[in-house]
């Protein structure tokens, strides 16, 4: 397929976006990828070291909310596909200060959609999340279920999700939407449960488990997610949303114990701490729609967790720079401004 296509990937310096860009180059060596990223605290050019000098890769530092800058990118590169990963993504930060979440996760989506409408594209993929449905005690959410977001993060992602849909309905823009479960794997910022706990365990530090540790998340290996997004881009139907599940539900305490086992640490590192405000109890997705389309996750949890722990063990320099604050200095040196 699309070896001459140009992909505009927004938020491509973050966790999932950088994995997706590397996946694209492995899959389509001739592809052109424009990465538009603001480089917030979560964006890290080191995630893309292996592709930054190859032909077909173009990096633009900029904010998706900046409609003039986004228009320049469209005029210069004429993307065929836009895949919007750019977002403020961490629930705890959204509880502390929702401002940037509202801007990027809602207005940023609008700015991209307006430019898509003006310049024309073949497909716009809005990377939404399972958090738009909220918590479910029993059973699983399907794509037509009601939205019930709990955090400012989830609510702003719901805004972006619906805005994208409205551009399909109102302007016939070729939009598809994906809603995935919790991702894990290489290059995930060590504020999220799995990389935080792996790196803390490696340093003999406590693992702060919220509440009773029995909240349930469905875990999806990032490589599977990237393949799922690409599958929907190529095979999905305009105006449709697709759940992308890992089919691997675990309580947080189970994840914690697995990390302790794989890092050779004891349960003594577990520290139960105050619960997250508005903490959703359980996420669960019905993925029969994407399964019917022909896609399912390939990784087994045990294997993917081993790979993930091994990656953080072999890439200490990457996460130590972030955790120590050294990355902030590097950023200032390279970009002449503070994060
Ligand atoms: P991340 O926080 O690691 O990366 C986000 C990236 O977006 C960063 O590179 C950041 O610099 C960039 N960015 C932020 N604001 C921007 C702006 N205004 N303009 C341009 N770039 C901006 O996030 P992630 O975990 O890789 O998540 C990527 C996407 O996937 C998000 O939309 C998120 O909502 C969605 N998602 C994440 C998960 C998960 O488990 N991580 C699951 C489902 C969906
Ligand atoms: O479900 C998809 C979502 O998954 C994405 O849309 C979000 O971008 C992503 O951040 C993630 O949100 P969560 O809040 O589920 O992920 P997080 O890693 O922050 O937390 C996972 C679970 O672990 C959650 O129940 C809270 C708990 N937790 C988290 C941290 C950081 C702890 O118990 N202790 C912690 O220190």
């Amino acid at each position: 397929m699309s070896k001459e296509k140009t992909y505009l990937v927004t938020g491509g310096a973050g966790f999932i976006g950088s994995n997706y860009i590397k996946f694209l180059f492995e899959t389509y060596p001739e592809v052109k990828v424009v990465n538009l990223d603001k480089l917030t605290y979560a964006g890290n050019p080191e995630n893309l070291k292996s592709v930054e000098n190859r032909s077909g890769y173009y990096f633009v530092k900029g904010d998706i909310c900046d409609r003039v800058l986004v228009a320049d990118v469209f005029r210069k590169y004429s993307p065929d596909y836009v895949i919007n990963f750019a977002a403020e993504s961490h629930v705890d930060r959204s509880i502390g200060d929702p401002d940037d979440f509202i801007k990027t996760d809602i207005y940023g989506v609008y700015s991209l959609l307006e430019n898509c409408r003006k310049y024309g594209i073949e497909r716009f993929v809005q990377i939404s999340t399972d958090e738009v449905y909220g918590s479910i005690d029993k059973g699983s959410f399907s794509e037509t279920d009601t939205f019930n977001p709990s955090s400012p993060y989830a609510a702003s992602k719901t805004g972006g999700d619906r805005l994208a849909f409205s551009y399909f309905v109102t302007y016939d823009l070729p939009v598809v939407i994906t809603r995935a479960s919790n991702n894990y794997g290489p290059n995930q910022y060590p504020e999220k449960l799995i990389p935080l706990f792996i790196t803390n365990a490696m340093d003999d530090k406590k693992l702060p488990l919220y509440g009773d540790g029995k909240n349930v998340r469905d875990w999806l290996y990032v490589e599977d997610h990237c393949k799922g997004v690409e599958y929907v881009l190529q095979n999905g139907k305009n105006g449709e949303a697709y759940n992308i599940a890992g089919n691997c539900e675990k309580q947080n305490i189970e994840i914690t114990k697995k990390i302790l086992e794989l890092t050779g640490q004891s349960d003594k590192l577990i520290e139960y701490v105050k619960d997250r405000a508005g903490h959703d109890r359980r996420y669960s997705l019905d993925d029969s729609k994407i399964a019917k389309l022909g896609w399912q996750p390939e990784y087994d949890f045990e294997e993917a967790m081993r790979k993930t722990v091994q990656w953080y063990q072999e890439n200490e320099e990457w996460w130590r720079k972030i955790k120590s604050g050294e990355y902030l200095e590097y950023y200032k040196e390279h970009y002449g401004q503070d994060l």
Side-chain angles (χ1 to χ4, degrees):
M1 83 82 289
S2 57
K3 68 180 180 145
E4 278 129 31
K5 297 288 186 192
T6 298
Y7 285 65
L8 172 57
V9 177
T10 63
F15 164 48
I16 307 173
S18 63
N19 276 283
Y20 181 70
I21 290 176
K22 287 180 271 192
F23 159 79
L24 285 179
F25 281 122
E26 276 159 31
T27 312
Y28 317 118
E30 305 296 322
V31 76
K32 282 193 188 136
V33 179
V34 183
N35 175 12
L36 170 60
D37 197 299
K38 182 179 173 184
L39 295 182
T40 66
Y41 78 94
N44 186 342
E46 291 198 18
N47 297 350
L48 291 153
K49 261 207 153 39
S50 62
V51 301
E52 69 185 3
N53 293 320
R54 66 169 290 153
S55 67
Y57 177 68
Y58 309 89
F59 176 68
V60 180
K61 182 179 179 305
D63 189 335
I64 58 166
C65 299
D66 182 343
R67 283 175 60 184
V68 174
L69 176 135
V70 175
D72 285 346
V73 170
F74 272 78
R75 278 195 296 269
K76 183 163 180 194
Y77 297 102
S78 307
D80 301 292
Y81 302 140
V82 178
I83 297 87
N84 181 31
F85 290 96
E88 287 296 332
S89 70
H90 193 47
V91 174
D92 292 323
R93 286 179 190 257
S94 84
I95 296 166
D97 184 2
D99 208 62
D100 282 343
F101 288 77
I102 314 300
K103 285 183 188 137
T104 294
D105 301 5
I106 302 177
Y107 188 87
V109 180
Y110 159 67
S111 155
L112 290 171
L113 290 164
E114 271 301 300
N115 277 292
C116 287
R117 190 155 85 89
K118 181 163 180 199
Y119 294 100
I121 38 125
E122 279 184 41
R123 262 260 148 109
F124 180 88
V125 185
Q126 171 60 12
I127 307 295
S128 187
T129 169
D130 63 359
E131 297 205 15
V132 298
Y133 302 116
S135 193
I136 187 166
D137 289 338
K138 284 191 187 125
S140 304
F141 286 119
S142 68
E143 288 83 352
T144 48
D145 277 321
T146 315
F147 299 106
N148 201 10
S150 308
S151 67
Y153 162 71
S156 55
K157 288 295 292 185
T158 308
D161 180 315
R162 290 301 81 193
L163 206 49
F165 179 68
S166 78
Y167 272 63
F168 163 72
V169 177
T170 308
Y171 306 113
D172 213 16
L173 197 75
V175 167
V176 285
I177 296 158
T178 63
R179 300 185 188 131
S181 309
N182 282 61
N183 280 223
Y184 64 110
N187 294 114
Q188 187 168 29
Y189 196 87
E191 65 185 350
K192 306 282 186 343
L193 179 75
I194 288 183
L196 177 72
F197 280 19
I198 295 172
T199 56
N200 277 12
M202 285 173 68
D203 277 348
D204 298 319
K205 286 190 182 148
K206 294 283 186 193
L207 313 187
L209 204 47
Y210 297 161
D212 64 3
K214 290 186 180 160
N215 297 64
V216 172
R217 296 292 182 267
D218 171 45
W219 294 96
L220 172 68
Y221 191 57
V222 66
E223 195 178 313
D224 275 333
H225 185 196
C226 292
K227 288 181 184 167
V229 168
E230 184 59 19
Y231 199 86
V232 169
L233 166 64
Q234 299 302 337
N235 302 291
K237 198 169 153 230
N238 288 337
E240 296 288 323
Y242 296 88
N243 290 341
I244 306 184
N247 293 323
C248 177
E249 288 180 35
K250 305 269 180 214
Q251 290 186 342
N252 293 336
I253 183 68
E254 294 176 78
I255 296 289
T256 307
K257 289 195 168 165
K258 176 52 70 184
I259 289 170
L260 290 170
E261 177 199 316
L262 292 171
T263 52
Q265 288 285 16
S266 89
D267 285 12
K268 289 196 187 114
L269 285 186
I270 300 174
E271 182 174 45
Y272 286 92
V273 297
K274 189 170 176 273
D275 208 356
R276 171 186 279 174
H279 196 175
D280 282 332
R281 191 63 174 169
R282 174 172 173 261
Y283 296 144
S284 182
L285 290 177
D286 174 341
D287 69 347
S288 48
K289 186 170 174 184
I290 194 169
K292 261 191 220 129
L293 199 66
W295 181 88
Q296 58 180 27
E298 287 165 19
Y299 272 93
D300 154 73
F301 176 70
E302 293 287 328
E303 182 197 356
M305 273 303 281
R306 268 198 304 278
K307 267 172 87 81
T308 302
V309 170
Q310 196 184 346
W311 190 86
Y312 289 90
Q313 287 168 336
E314 288 172 356
N315 292 276
E316 278 193 42
E317 208 194 330
W318 180 87
W319 58 262
R320 286 200 187 283
K321 260 193 210 166
I322 296 171
K323 279 187 138 182
S324 68
E326 205 187 308
Y327 173 64
L328 301 182
E329 286 160 31
Y330 159 91
Y331 186 93
K332 195 170 183 181
E333 229 172 73
H334 278 70
Y335 299 100
Q337 62 189 82
D338 286 317
L339 256 176

